[in-house]
């Protein structure tokens, strides 16, 4: 385990421990990508609508994001291994519950518990990397963490398509049970018990962050449904959004005034790279979550592809991302991160713009696979350098807190991406399909197979136009990445670098 001087004791085997943790992280990511493929089937089977079914993802992401600050701190206090195993248990049991539900409302509730389990697990993976790998080797370790996302984008959609086509959407959740059991056993045996640190808990901060995020996301998510007007009585969509922003501002103010241990340690943001990496990963979380919905709906509703065949469209992205991960991992430890991360974010934005231009009802599939392949290059170059840059200089006693902040910003981006893309898709559908199907409201009734030919062009245009939003958001992340400074270990020998040094 890591000593106060930042070295790693010889009895700890970092790589087996990391592989054990990555299995659970992989399960979380697979679950998210599986659900995007199964969305049309869930929508049809449970008799829901687009705005409601998106909450199957949004509720999970919200429950995932809100507790990350405290679960990161909790991992420092009781130990990352214990909290990881607890979260894995909650996540696995909630997965079984998801598969057993029969209504959209109960499914959303079960997904909340899945999100809570995931929030306990995720910060611990990054905290363990920070604590058992020396700074000049974290790039390779983080590349494995990042490559997990690339492999999950392949396994999740394809496995989801096979399960939805063959056994039903419920099995996308049941499959987590055996994986969770194996992951529990491996983590129990291979992950070391690391030293803990005493921390107090900022309960007021937890309440303020939870209320603020919920009001903001709920207002954005439901805006189109209520025509951006009144919801009930004096409560309007805009009042919820504004109230959410005010509460979040109050949360930040409280964190700056808290003389104990704030939930959000603002001193972490004195590290320029940590601050910029959080901006960049927020845009990545937004874009990767948002782009899946219009792409999968277009493939199934316009092209008439089965969930399995629709998921196969993502094969080039996942294969290229996974193949690049080892190469990028070596680069991250030797090259200033702004070049690597900036290249990845630029490729990601270009690929989504490109995809928005080629998505048409009769586009040749090979033409669509080109921007999807570029998206694989982007994934390979984004995750590892951004994650490594954020955590490389964290003091060991704040590893969990820093990982919690980083994953919170990533998940907040994902929540806002999910909510925003739902609003934009419904808006573009209403614009492009004004009751085109014999009085059927735009965007409804398209889950039973391929749309009627008269509707396909408008629906396709709506999905293509929706992809422009995540492409634009990524440009903010690109600017942040280009402002990274070279980490300390590239400016002088790593052995001379104190563990708690900031750039």
């Amino acid at each position: 385990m890591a000593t106060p001087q930042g070295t790693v004791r010889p009895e700890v085997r970092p790589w087996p421990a990391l592989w054990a943790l990555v299995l659970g992280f992989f399960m979380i990511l697979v679950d998210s990508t599986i659900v995007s493929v199964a969305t049309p089937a869930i929508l049809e089977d449970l008799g829901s609508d687009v705005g409601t079914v998106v909450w199957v993802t949004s509720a999970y992401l919200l429950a995932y994001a809100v507790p990350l600050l405290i679960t990161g701190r909790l991992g420092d206090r009781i130990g990352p291994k214990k909290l990881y195993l607890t979260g894995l248990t909650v996540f696995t049991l909630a997965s079984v519950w998801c598969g057993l539900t029969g209504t959209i409302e109960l499914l959303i509730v079960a997904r909340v518990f899945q999100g809570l389990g995931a929030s306990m697990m995720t910060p611990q993976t990054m905290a363990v990397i920070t604590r058992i790998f020396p700074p000049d080797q974290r790039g390779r370790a983080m590349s494995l963490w990042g490559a997990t996302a690339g492999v999950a984008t392949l396994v999740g959609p394809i496995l989801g398509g096979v399960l939805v086509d063959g056994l039903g959407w419920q099995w996308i959740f049941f499959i987590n049970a055996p994986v969770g059991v194996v992951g529990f056993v491996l983590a129990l045996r291979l992950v070391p018990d690391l030293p803990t640190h005493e921390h107090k808990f900022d309960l007021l901060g937890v309440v303020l962050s939870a209320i603020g995020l919920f009001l903001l996301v709920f207002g954005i998510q439901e805006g189109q449904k209520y025509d951006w007007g009144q919801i009930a009585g004096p409560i309007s969509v805009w009042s919820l959004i504004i109230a959410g922003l005010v509460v979040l501002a109050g949360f930040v103010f409280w964190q700056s005034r808290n003389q104990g241990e704030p939930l959000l340690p603002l001193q972490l943001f004195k590290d320029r790279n940590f601050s910029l990496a959080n901006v960049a990963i927020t845009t990545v979380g937004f874009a990767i979550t948002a782009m899946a919905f219009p792409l999968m709906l277009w493939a199934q509703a316009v092209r008439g592809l089965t969930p399995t065949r629709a998921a196969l469209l993502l094969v080039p992205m996942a294969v290229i991302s996974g193949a690049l991960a080892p190469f990028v991992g070596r680069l991250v430890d030797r090259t200033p991160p702004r070049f690597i991360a900036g290249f990845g974010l630029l490729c990601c934005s270009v690929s989504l713009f490109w995809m928005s231009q080629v998505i048409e009802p009769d586009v040749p599939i090979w033409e669509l696979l080109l921007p999807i392949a570029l998206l694989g290059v982007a994934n390979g170059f984004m995750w590892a350098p951004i994650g490594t840059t954020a955590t490389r200089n964290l003091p060991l006693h704040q590893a969990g807190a820093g990982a919690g902040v980083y994953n919170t910003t990533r998940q907040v981006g994902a929540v806002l991406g999910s909510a925003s893309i739902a609003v934009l898709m419904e808006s573009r559908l209403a614009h492009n399909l004004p009751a085109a199907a014999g009085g059927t409201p735009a965007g409804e009734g398209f889950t039973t197979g391929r749309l009627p030919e008269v509707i396909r062009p408008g629906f396709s245009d709506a999905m293509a136009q929706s992809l422009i939003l995540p492409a634009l958001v990524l440009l903010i992340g690109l600017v942040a990445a280009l402002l990274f400074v070279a980490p300390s270990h590239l400016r002088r020998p790593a052995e001379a670098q104190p563990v708690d040094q900031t750039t």
Side-chain angles (χ1 to χ4, degrees), residues 252-332:
V252 174
F253 177 79
W254 165 243
Q255 299 306 286
S256 68
R257 290 287 185 263
N258 188 348
Q259 297 301 311
E261 283 200 76
L263 179 63
L264 179 64
L266 295 180
Q267 67 268 25
L268 292 175
F269 291 95
K270 293 179 180 178
D271 185 318
R272 173 174 169 174
N273 279 359
F274 182 81
S275 299
L276 293 171
N278 277 276
V279 173
I281 201 61
T282 300
T283 65
V284 172
F286 184 106
I288 296 300
T289 300
M291 58 82 61
F293 288 103
L295 179 61
M296 289 295 107
L297 288 174
W298 172 84
Q300 295 179 54
V302 177
R303 296 304 295 263
L305 301 180
T306 64
T308 302
R309 294 183 64 194
L312 288 172
L313 293 174
L314 299 176
V315 168
M317 175 180 70
V319 170
I320 292 173
S321 176
L324 285 174
F327 168 72
V328 175
R330 290 190 294 271
L331 278 181
V332 168

Side-chain angles (χ1 to χ4, degrees), residues 104-171:
I104 191 69
E105 292 79 13
L106 283 178
L107 178 58
I108 292 171
V109 172
R111 289 281 282 167
V112 168
F113 281 88
Q114 260 195 320
L116 291 174
S119 74
M120 297 182 205
M121 298 166 62
T122 301
Q124 316 319 320
T125 61
M126 292 188 70
V128 169
I129 291 174
T130 302
R131 294 177 67 178
I132 69 176
F133 287 91
D136 61 331
Q137 294 181 19
R138 287 180 198 154
R140 280 171 286 175
M142 198 63 70
S143 72
L144 173 60
W145 191 78
T148 303
V151 176
T153 58
L154 172 61
V155 174
I158 294 177
L159 179 61
V162 171
L163 291 174
V164 171
D165 288 340
L167 298 173
W169 62 265
Q170 294 86 350
W171 282 88

Side-chain angles (χ1 to χ4, degrees), residues 433-444 455:
L433 297 175
T440 301
E444 295 184 8
I455 299 178

